[in-house]
Amino acid sequence: MPRFSASLSLERFRRQLANVDALPQLCVLGVVSGLVTGALMVVFRSLLALGGWLLFPGNDPEAFEALSAPLRTLMPLAAVLLIGLWMWRMPPAGRQIGVLHVIDRLTYQQGRFPLRNWFTQWWVGLVSVIGGLSAGREGPAIHLGAAACSGLGQRLRLPHNSLRVLVACGTAAAISASFNTPIAGVIFAMEVVMMEYTIVGFMPVILASSMGAVVAQLVYGPDPAIGIPDLHLKSLLDLPWIVVSALVIGLLAGLFVRVSRLVRRVEHVPLALRFAVAGGAVAAVAWWYPQVQGMGYDTLQATLSGSVAVDVLLAVAIGKLLLTAGTVACGIPVSIIGPILVIGGAAGALCGLAGQALLPLEASEPALYAMLGMAAMMGAVLQAPLAALMALLELTHNPSIIMPGMLAVVVAGLTARQLCRCDGFFIGATRHGLHPLQQPLMQALSRVSVPAVMERNLVRTPRMVTPDQARALLERGPVWILIIRSSDDKPTLALKAADLARALMEASATDTPATQGELIDLLEIPGQRLEMAPIHLQATLSEAFERLNNQAVDALYVEHGHRPRQKRISGIITRGAIERYYRFTVERSSE
């Protein structure tokens, strides 16, 4: 009995989640997602620390400078070998990981993730960072968190519209737990991954990001991932030079995106050769400048403290940029978020040093320019200005830096977008204009599952029925009559019950033979019949809309159950019902 009651409660929970206003239920999922993702991030960071304990002096997984030149040169070659061997065993679809994979699954698979890609992300994420490639931990964190939260929803057979929210919750909590920046995590999830801002979407994501930060702070303390000195704008005379610096960083961001997209031009090159080129390039630069290896947060910390030589800053700003983008272009799916922060910091510090040379008395500290460079580079590469500004605010805990930060982020973003013709690294324009997640119709339909709109009052019947059988069908009060034509007991046509009732009345009034007991052919009576195809109960309205178009049908019958023999029809959804819902949504949002 308790098990039956729990099953009913879960079924009720699923029905509530199917609606657009299921805010309390989504908030519960947000809390659970944040805790799950926070725990995963602790495990991932602990594995990185374990690698540091095994391989590096001082147990620091970023201490490549402390290694001998031959050893740190061999490590990237070993890393690409290990990653290549893993990828070689995988089909092309199994090699997709990282933030790009998260957005792709959210766009085209309603947030459902393959398990093999999840395991690939663990391996590639750990090996690429510990092995000395120019890579970060944030991309793996986002994929691991988003896929784990989505997997929890799939395990509970939640409707697909809630899976989308779970993906956003996992993304936000991963960023929050990585940097201890919960607000930036929320904005990144909504601006880069979901590409929408709604109250229903925001609240569970806020809760998830908060819970992720709580878990991280319980383990690592309240300090942010990067220690930031007290930074202030010395004079308004800095503003013109900040604009110039942001212009330079915008050009670097455009170069980064352009180089990374060369992957389409080198796809014909054998995978082994591309991996060897990527590993060899990192190894060659690392012989002299190990600062280009790994995440680079130690180098960024030294940059902010002003203890990095100019040649090292140049190597990081240019070398790490080309190495990271080149690694992506060669087909190794490393995380770029951490490296672009380090690149931006180094480029900003160089601009700050140049500013001090030009205005020795009035120029602000290079550390300020380094911090602005981090935000500008992140905002320009990702085309995510709000996420970059929130990261800047939370890392510095200094509201006075927001004004110059806004200026730097906007100028850099405009430069990358307009002068370099580069859209965001993760999302670019398609041949048809907007990416599917940027289309208002698909966004609105993705927030609701089929049960919220489908018509449940229906009956199933064979094509041929007697008048008495037809009247018995109508006594049940259906809106639709599903006509079974094939031997597999699947309905293929839907008839309005009102049309059958009208036909019976006309036949009775004219005393046609049909009233005398002959069979009625439901395909012959006057009325509109809708061609149908199946769809699952967990599907969203966007999935239903796409299936209607792809199958060229007018309606879908909604199946419930996973095993073929257990499937039953729960309702019917028509194109008109979807259009009415969308019109209602638009009218309500305009009030």
Side-chain angles (χ1 to χ4, degrees):
M1 189 66 179
R3 183 176 180 181
F4 179 72
S5 177
S7 177
L8 286 178
S9 300
L10 184 57
E11 190 63 36
R12 190 184 311 115
F13 188 68
R14 294 189 188 111
R15 288 199 302 269
Q16 292 168 337
L17 283 171
N19 296 303
V20 71
D21 56 351
L23 188 55
Q25 293 78 18
L26 291 174
C27 287
V28 172
L29 292 178
V31 172
V32 175
S33 299
L35 296 174
V36 169
T37 303
L40 276 176
M41 294 309 98
V42 170
V43 173
F44 186 71
R45 292 176 65 173
S46 298
L47 290 175
L48 289 176
L50 178 62
W53 179 75
L54 293 173
L55 298 174
F56 294 89
N59 305 334
D60 183 0
E62 294 191 87
F64 292 95
E65 299 88 344
L67 301 176
S68 64
L71 178 57
R72 65 175 180 249
T73 300
L74 289 174
M75 288 179 68
L77 299 175
V80 296
L81 176 62
L82 292 173
I83 294 173
L85 289 174
W86 183 282
M87 295 287 197
W88 176 69
R89 298 173 54 251
M90 291 287 175
R95 302 169 186 167
Q96 306 302 314
I97 58 174
V99 181
L100 280 171
H101 178 65
V102 171
I103 295 174
D104 180 74
R105 301 301 296 189
L106 186 67
T107 305
Y108 301 108
Q109 300 296 331
Q110 299 300 316
R112 292 165 292 179
F113 291 83
L115 187 60
R116 65 185 178 188
N117 297 64
W118 194 69
F119 285 117
T120 298
Q121 181 63 89
W122 280 100
W123 179 254
V124 175
L126 292 169
V127 172
S128 62
V129 174
I130 298 174
L133 295 175
S134 182
R137 69 186 181 205
E138 295 74 25
I142 290 170
H143 181 184
L144 296 175
C149 295
S150 173
L152 177 63
Q154 290 176 257
R155 184 72 177 174
L156 297 176
R157 299 201 302 275
L158 301 182
H160 292 170
N161 64 317
S162 59
L163 294 186
R164 293 173 50 81
V165 178
L166 285 170
V167 170
C169 289
T171 299
I175 291 291
S176 176
S178 294
F179 289 110
N180 199 10
T181 53
I183 301 177
V186 172
I187 301 300
F188 182 92
M190 306 306 289
E191 190 174 27
V192 177
V193 177
M194 296 290 286
M195 282 181 280
E196 64 176 354
Y197 295 98
T198 61
I199 295 298
V200 174
F202 254 123
M203 289 191 178
V205 174
I206 289 172
L207 285 172
S209 189
S210 302
M211 292 300 102
V214 167
V215 173
Q217 289 184 21
L218 287 174
V219 179
Y220 301 107
D223 296 329
I226 304 168
I228 306 296
D230 189 21
L231 302 170
H232 296 279
L233 190 66
K234 190 173 181 180
S235 168
L236 292 178
L237 293 175
D238 274 306
L239 294 181
W241 189 246
I242 288 175
V243 171
V244 174
S245 302
L247 179 65
V248 172
I249 290 172
L251 293 174
L252 290 175
L255 176 64
F256 182 92
V257 176
R258 290 284 187 182
V259 172
S260 66
R261 288 182 178 171
L262 292 177
V263 64
R264 300 167 186 170
R265 298 189 179 183
V266 299
E267 286 178 334
H268 63 281
V269 179
L271 189 67
L273 179 58
R274 283 184 277 150
F275 276 41
V277 169
V282 175
V285 178
W287 181 277
W288 290 280
Y289 295 103
Q291 292 84 359
V292 302
Q293 293 184 278
M295 296 179 288
Y297 289 157
D298 57 340
T299 302
L300 180 58
Q301 191 73 65
T303 300
L304 293 171
S305 64
S307 59
V308 179
V310 173
D311 63 319
V312 175
L313 292 175
L314 283 169
V316 173
I318 304 300
K320 194 172 181 67
L321 183 150
L322 294 176
L323 290 175
T324 307
T327 301
V328 173
C330 288
I332 304 177
V334 297
S335 172
I336 61 119
I337 298 175
I340 62 174
L341 290 175
V342 178
I343 295 163
L350 287 169
C351 292
L353 290 172
Q356 277 192 336
L358 292 172
L359 295 170
L361 297 179
E362 300 295 336
S364 297
E365 293 293 324
L368 175 70
Y369 282 85
M371 199 66 211
L372 296 177
M374 290 169 56
M377 192 71 178
M378 177 181 175
V381 171
L382 306 183
Q383 287 297 305
L386 284 179
L389 286 172
M390 287 303 100
L392 179 65
L393 176 62
E394 289 187 287
L395 288 172
T396 61
H397 298 288
N398 182 7
S400 66
I401 203 173
I402 288 298
M403 187 274 289
M406 293 170 66
L407 186 62
V409 167
V410 169
V411 172
L414 283 174
T415 302
R417 194 176 187 88
Q418 300 301 320
L419 294 185
C420 302
R421 302 295 179 186
C422 293
D423 299 300
F425 177 86
F426 296 121
I427 294 293
T430 66
R431 290 181 305 163
H432 305 288
L434 293 177
H435 187 277
L437 285 179
Q438 296 171 309
Q439 298 174 11
L441 172 62
M442 301 310 291
Q443 279 190 352
L445 298 184
S446 295
R447 299 183 195 123
V448 182
S449 273
V450 162
V453 180
M454 73 181 185
E455 176 58 63
R456 289 179 167 84
N457 294 327
L458 51 86
V459 292
R460 297 168 60 188
T461 180
R463 170 181 175 178
M464 308 299 292
V465 294
T466 65
D468 289 339
Q469 289 173 331
R471 294 187 187 96
L473 291 174
L474 295 174
E475 286 177 359
R476 304 182 196 175
V479 175
W480 291 97
I481 296 175
L482 308 187
I483 303 172
I484 300 172
R485 289 193 301 179
S486 56
S487 59
D488 60 1
D489 201 35
K490 296 292 186 182
T492 55
L493 289 173
L495 173 70
K496 274 279 190 180
D499 292 334
L500 177 58
R502 187 182 305 109
L504 288 177
M505 291 177 61
E506 292 175 355
S508 178
T510 57
D511 196 29
T512 60
T515 62
Q516 307 301 325
E518 293 187 5
L519 292 176
I520 300 174
D521 188 349
L522 296 181
L523 298 184
E524 297 295 333
I525 65 173
Q528 180 185 14
R529 276 163 287 274
L530 305 180
E531 292 279 350
M532 293 194 302
I535 195 168
H536 198 271
L537 185 69
Q538 293 173 263
T540 63
L541 292 189
S542 64
E543 290 178 279
F545 186 73
E546 289 179 353
R547 189 162 183 80
L548 286 170
N549 293 332
N550 294 337
Q551 298 289 327
V553 294
D554 303 301
L556 302 168
Y557 62 88
V558 183
E559 291 184 320
H560 188 193
H562 290 271
R563 297 179 182 176
R565 294 184 178 181
Q566 294 180 344
K567 287 185 177 180
R568 63 181 187 272
I569 296 176
S570 302
I572 182 175
I573 183 166
T574 64
R575 189 182 299 272
I578 296 176
E579 292 173 352
R580 286 192 297 273
Y581 164 78
Y582 181 66
R583 286 197 298 269
F584 170 75
T585 303
V586 172
E587 291 171 359
R588 188 172 67 174
S589 63
S590 62
E591 291 177 355

